[in-house]
Amino acid sequence: MPRTRLSICQRKQRFASEEEAMRAAIAATIDLRPYRCDRCGRYHLTSRLKGKRRLPVA
């Protein structure tokens, strides 16, 4: 898996836990998935779906 670019990490919102990121993803108006960033160690959201698990329906 390619490493997250620092510029991408810095401009994304950071979540302290996967649960917090999951709640934000479910509340979003578009389909998002949380992932743990290999740069900062926190969670971000992505709209990329390849290889990501499905979220429960809100």
Side-chain angles (χ1 to χ4, degrees):
M1 177 182 286
R3 187 164 182 160
T4 305
R5 290 196 325 260
L6 184 58
S7 62
I8 299 292
C9 173
Q10 289 176 331
R11 71 175 180 244
K12 286 191 170 193
Q13 183 173 358
R14 293 177 178 153
F15 298 94
S17 69
E18 185 176 23
E19 182 180 323
E20 186 182 338
M22 190 80 71
R23 282 196 304 267
I26 290 170
T29 58
I30 61 172
D31 198 11
L32 296 172
R33 301 287 186 274
Y35 70 95
R36 186 171 197 124
C37 179
D38 57 1
R39 289 279 182 175
C40 68
R42 298 180 59 113
Y43 290 86
H44 299 299
L45 298 176
T46 184
S47 59
R48 295 196 65 184
L49 303 177
K50 187 175 181 180
K52 305 287 189 234
R53 64 178 181 243
R54 302 280 303 165
L55 293 180
V57 177

